[in-house]
Amino acid sequence: MKPEQSTAARSMRAVSLAILLVTSVTFFALVYSAYQDYGSLTSVSHGTSNGKVIISGNNAQFFLNFSLSNNGLLPFRADMSCPSGQPNVTCVPASVDLNPGSNGTLHFVIAVSNYTQVVNATGGLHMNGTVSFALVPFASLSLNLDFGRFVTVKGG
Amino acid sequence: MIGESYPLTHRILRAALTLVANLVFWILIPIAIGGLLSKESTPTPLSTPSFIYAFGAVITALQVLAALTQGMAVSVPFNTGSYIAEAYYVWAATNGGSLAISAAGNAVTFDFAPIVYLLMLPLLFNALRFPVTFLLEQSEAARPFSDAL
C-alpha cells in the first residue's frame, strides 16, 4: 500500500511553493520596473531635461534639471553628487525619490570657480561626479562620470 | 517521499533529465554569462571557468545521485548537499551581490544584494526541508497506530 504523505511533508512543500511564488512575483515586479524606468531614463538622455548657466566674473554655476517619471511597480531613487576635494569644482548633491506612478525633477547645481583658467588649462571642462539609480530596496546602479562631457557653454 | 519505492527505470529517467537540466543551468548558462562579463573586466568568479566547472560538477553529481536514490533515506543528504552547494554558488558567482564594471572609461557599480538573498532563500529552505521532513516522518512512523492496540 502506498504510504500517505505526512502532514509535515505536505506543509513543508506548501511553504516551499509559497516562497517560490513570492520570489517569482518579486522578480517579475523588479524586471518590469527596471524596464519601465529604463525607458524613462533614456527619454531624459534624449531631451526631457533643461538647465541654465550663470557666469559671474570668473565663476560659473550650472543648474541642471532632469524630469523623471516612475512608471514601474517599485519606488525609484535617483541621486547625483560629486566628490569633495576636486580643484575648482563644488556641487550640491541632489536626490529624488519617486513612488510608482509619480513624476519628479532632479535639480543639480555645479559651481566652477576660475572657470576660464580651468577650461583653458585642461582644454575643456572636467567635473567628476556620480549618478546613481536605485529600485528601492532591491538594486542600485552607480556610474562615475565626467559631467563636463554633458555640459557645454555657448558664447553669445 | 522517503519510504516509497520507485521503479529503477523511473529513477534512471529522472536522473538523466536532471543531468541535462543541471548541465544547462549550472554550467552552460554561467559560462555564457561569464564570457559576457569578462569582456567588461568584471572581477567575478563567473569569469573563471574552473569555478563554474567545479561547482557545476558538484551540484550536478549531487542532484543526479539524489534522483537515482529517490525514495531512499540516502537521498536526503544528497538533496540537502546539492541545495547548499547551489546557494553558495549563487552567492559566490554574484560576488555577494556587488559587481563593478569598467566600460568606455567610466566605472559602473551594480549592487543587488537583496536580489541575491531572494535567490538563495528557496534554495536554503529546500536544503532544510528534506532532512526536517525525513525526521518528522520517521518519528511519526515510529508511533504505533492507536487501532493496533
Side-chain angles (χ1 to χ4, degrees), chain A residues 28-109:
Chain A
F28 168 75
L30 198 61
V31 169
Y32 177 78
S33 298
Y35 173 74
Q36 289 291 336
D37 293 333
Y38 176 76
S40 168
L41 290 173
T42 48
S43 71
V44 167
S45 68
H46 289 147
T48 56
S49 58
N50 57 72
K52 64 179 179 183
V53 182
I54 297 177
I55 297 180
S56 170
N58 205 17
N59 302 321
Q61 276 187 307
F62 300 90
F63 296 83
L64 304 172
N65 301 317
F66 301 98
S67 301
L68 300 169
S69 61
N70 183 3
N71 300 319
L73 301 172
L74 295 171
F76 177 75
R77 178 186 302 146
D79 300 297
M80 290 180 79
S81 63
C82 62
S84 58
Q86 282 189 92
N88 302 306
V89 176
T90 54
C91 69
V92 178
S95 178
V96 64
D97 288 295
L98 299 175
N99 288 325
S102 66
N103 302 323
T105 307
L106 190 63
H107 304 286
F108 189 53
V109 181

Side-chain angles (χ1 to χ4, degrees), chain A residues 112-124:
Chain A
V112 181
S113 56
N114 301 317
Y115 172 74
T116 312
Q117 284 113 315
V118 167
V119 171
N120 290 339
T122 58

Side-chain angles (χ1 to χ4, degrees), chain A residues 2-6 8-9 12-13 15-16 19-20 23 26-27 30 137-146 149, chain B residues 1 3-4 104-115 118-119 121-122 125-126 128-129 132-133 136-137 140:
Chain A
K2 188 176 173 179
E4 194 182 314
Q5 203 172 39
S6 66
M12 297 289 270
R13 184 182 289 267
V15 172
S16 176
I19 290 174
L20 201 61
T23 306
T26 306
F27 265 105
L30 198 61
F138 293 106
S140 67
L141 185 71
S142 295
L143 300 99
N144 293 332
L145 301 169
D146 179 4
R149 278 196 241 168
Chain B
M1 60 173 279
E4 190 174 347
N106 299 312
V108 179
T109 307
F110 185 36
D111 292 309
F112 55 105
I115 297 176
L118 214 54
L119 281 172
L121 182 63
F125 181 79
N126 279 327
L128 204 63
R129 177 168 74 100
V132 169
T133 306
L136 288 173
E137 283 179 342
E140 284 179 352

